Amino acid sequence: MNSTKFDSEVTLWVFEEELDGKKLSDIINEEHENKKYLPGIKLTSNVVAIPDLVTAVKNADILVFIIPLEFASKICCDMAGHLKPGVFGISLIKGIQHNPGTLLLTSDVIREKLGIKISVLMGANIAQEVADEQFCEATIGCEDEKQGKIFKELFETMNFKMSVVKDEETVELCGALKNVVALGAGFIDGLGHGGNTKATVIRLGLMEMISFAKIFCKKPVELTTFLESCGIADLVTTCYGGRSRKAAEAFVHTGKTFEELEIEILNGQKLQGPPTAKEIYNILKNKDLTDKFPLFVCIYEICCEGKAVKELITCLQNHPIYKKQ
């Protein structure tokens, strides 16, 4: 990061919680570690945690949204009217907003509530690996060329490389849909099938992701976007190491609900796969397109309607893609 261009202090809004009798914001500021959500990783001293939202954002020139999907709308409402003129932002939130039967991206909500330009950053970025400074990459979706260059300079390091594309909607949609496919990969792991079967889920899942984007994105979809980190790379890493995959495998082995598993194995983090699968299904049903997306529909039915997990294999065996060949 260019220290002469950007302010050295990074203000971090923290939803105040207590950990071992101490406020989380105090822990971050005094011990420079988020012991609840990223234990063992030292933060630099220029990261300052502030529990009051308005105070945290009022002097910001750039807003970086990394919050649970379901709180985005309310948090934006609380921020509205308290921002500097000319502020712009970027969202790292992966998922689809609840909006029965119609596709609503989180960037749409932020744009509507705050009236600011908003870009997105998605990619194969499992948090622990990024924090450990293992080499990885990400995709910035930004239609504004000038802002895209600013975001690239802001985020890029030797071990965290950025590419910038203008296809914002597709970049963001990839970040949501890959969690649905990852559920399928986790079910395959839970059933005890190997890499061949999981590769099939990934391939067919990618095809359904592309088809969905072509139908529902408001602007033309660039197929090359799926070759970026936000596309195939994020899909693969999530299907092998992501939270949705992990929870789906545990769903098969334990018989517990996803709500129970979220509490037990995710340490307060949110699981986006099941709610995204539900939103996708509702959109497809509203448009009478469920027969065009059998994998997405089958994963939803397993998650939300009690369909047997083993039926995923039947879904793969009978996928219409094979009837075209």
Side-chain angles (χ1 to χ4, degrees), residues 191-208:
L191 290 170
H193 288 259
N196 294 340
T197 313
K198 184 186 281 191
T200 301
V201 170
I202 293 172
R203 185 180 82 88
L204 297 182
L206 178 61
M207 294 181 70
E208 292 195 9

Side-chain angles (χ1 to χ4, degrees), residues 90-251:
I90 190 164
S91 172
L92 281 66
I93 304 169
K94 297 181 177 181
I96 293 174
Q97 293 289 321
H98 177 64
N99 190 45
T102 306
L103 178 64
L104 181 64
L105 299 174
T106 302
S107 62
D108 294 327
V109 171
I110 298 171
R111 203 174 286 114
E112 176 189 342
K113 301 292 184 183
L114 298 179
I116 64 173
K117 285 188 176 182
I118 184 77
S119 302
V120 295
L121 186 153
M122 305 283 157
N125 310 141
I126 292 176
Q128 187 64 49
E129 296 178 17
V130 176
D132 288 336
E133 297 190 63
Q134 297 180 26
F135 185 87
C136 62
E137 58 182 2
T139 309
I140 295 168
C142 182
E143 292 185 358
D144 186 304
E145 185 175 348
K146 182 179 178 180
Q147 289 183 7
K149 290 179 179 178
I150 292 173
F151 287 131
K152 179 178 173 67
E153 187 174 355
L154 178 63
F155 287 106
E156 189 167 73
T157 70
M158 285 299 295
N159 287 316
F160 193 30
K161 295 299 183 181
M162 301 288 130
S163 61
V164 183
V165 301
K166 293 187 176 182
D167 195 4
E168 290 180 357
E169 282 184 293
T170 305
V171 172
E172 186 171 4
L173 196 54
C174 282
L177 296 179
K178 56 96 179 190
N179 279 319
V180 179
V181 183
L183 289 171
F187 293 147
I188 293 301
D189 289 336
L191 290 170
H193 288 259
N196 294 340
T197 313
K198 184 186 281 191
T200 301
V201 170
I202 293 172
R203 185 180 82 88
L204 297 182
L206 178 61
M207 294 181 70
E208 292 195 9
M209 287 171 60
I210 294 171
S211 296
F212 190 93
K214 285 182 174 180
I215 293 171
F216 291 102
C217 284
K218 296 183 287 292
K219 296 181 180 180
V221 170
E222 296 290 340
L223 289 178
T224 53
T225 302
F226 292 93
L227 300 179
E228 296 287 345
S229 182
C230 65
I232 186 63
D234 196 11
L235 178 60
V236 170
T237 199
T238 307
C239 286
Y240 279 89
R243 286 175 283 178
S244 290
R245 187 224 63 82
K246 182 178 181 180
E249 182 179 17
F251 176 86

Side-chain angles (χ1 to χ4, degrees), residues 25-44:
S25 61
D26 288 340
I27 294 173
I28 293 173
N29 289 332
E30 295 170 10
E31 302 180 40
H32 306 296
E33 181 180 348
N34 189 334
K35 289 190 172 181
K36 179 168 184 179
Y37 296 106
L38 205 58
I41 300 297
K42 285 298 180 181
L43 303 173
T44 52

